[in-house]
Amino acid sequence: MLADCDDLPRPWLVIEDAHARVRAVLDFFDARLAAGDYLLVEDSLAKRATLREFLRSSPHQYQLDTRSLDLFGENTSCAIDSILRRA
């Protein structure tokens, strides 16, 4: 059960690709991620408003992992500006 996931080894890589209840998924993992964990939002162009709202209201800080985001060129994946590392 995901509620019991806190004991799993770190760092975590959480990939959101649900296309439903996106904000609830982000909030669920925001409460569980630790510094150094990753949160990747797939198909983020369609979720841009939700992602921005989440980042503004999250009590935790996230940094864009520009090395991963731009590995093959600037924003060439479906995770546009949404490979995040918890600070």
Side-chain angles (χ1 to χ4, degrees):
M1 176 177 221
L2 282 178
D4 298 329
C5 64
D6 295 328
D7 293 332
L8 295 173
R10 297 195 186 259
W12 290 359
L13 170 61
V14 174
I15 301 173
E16 185 287 319
D17 196 16
H19 299 278
R21 298 179 39 89
V22 173
R23 180 59 194 261
V25 172
L26 296 175
D27 288 339
F28 176 87
F29 283 106
D30 181 51
R32 288 161 176 80
L33 293 175
D37 289 341
Y38 278 82
L39 176 60
L40 189 151
V41 179
E42 289 280 341
D43 305 319
S44 57
L45 231 109
K47 304 169 187 174
R48 182 161 261 172
T50 301
L51 183 58
R52 284 182 179 161
E53 176 187 301
F54 163 73
L55 290 171
R56 275 195 300 270
S57 65
S58 170
H60 305 101
Q61 292 187 358
Y62 291 86
Q63 301 168 331
L64 288 178
D65 183 346
T66 55
R67 181 174 177 266
S68 297
L69 283 168
D70 300 333
L71 190 61
F72 300 107
E74 187 175 342
N75 281 323
T76 56
S77 75
C78 62
I80 295 175
D81 290 337
S82 63
I83 299 177
L84 309 170
R85 183 177 172 274
R86 174 85 167 265

